[in-house]
Amino acid sequence: MSLKPSDPVVRAFVDAVNGGDRDAFYALLAPGATMTDDGTERDLDQWVDREIFSSDGRMDVESESDGGRTLVASYTNSTWGTMRTRWHFTVDGDRIARFDTGQA
């Protein structure tokens, strides 16, 4: 059973990913939001389309720290299968300004 992150904005992010809800996902992002994958800056729109929405991405959260803003999750998509990943979120008010992900 997947843990629900205690930070409400991060929890909504996970729910949007797992629900395949692109509109809800983008509504959570602050204007100009950025991200990294394994330490490399990525084009957020291209990455999100390829790694989440076009490949049926899903997060099964295993643990959290930093008040629910850092997660370890099993991440699954139809391109790469399942891998253990780390996610860190920079939250600004009720939006995500940045997220960093990579293998855990």
Side-chain angles (χ1 to χ4, degrees), residues 31-45:
T34 60
M35 60 91 51
T36 63
D37 182 7
D38 283 327
T40 302
E41 293 285 335
R42 303 289 183 182
D43 178 285
L44 188 140
D45 291 326

Side-chain angles (χ1 to χ4, degrees), residues 5-82:
S6 56
D7 184 284
V9 178
V10 174
R11 184 172 51 248
F13 178 98
V14 172
D15 289 344
V17 169
N18 289 345
D21 191 338
R22 189 183 299 259
D23 291 337
F25 180 90
Y26 276 103
L28 292 166
L29 299 181
T34 60
M35 60 91 51
T36 63
D37 182 7
D38 283 327
T40 302
E41 293 285 335
R42 303 289 183 182
D43 178 285
L44 188 140
D45 291 326
Q46 289 178 4
W47 189 91
V48 165
D49 184 59
R50 182 181 64 249
E51 300 293 338
I52 298 176
F53 295 110
S54 292
S55 60
D56 302 315
R58 291 200 44 83
M59 298 174 72
D60 181 20
V61 179
E62 298 173 7
S63 65
E64 70 171 8
S65 57
D66 190 28
R69 293 186 177 178
T70 299
L71 309 176
V72 173
S74 290
Y75 187 78
T76 303
N77 69 24
S78 60
T79 303
W80 305 108
T82 301

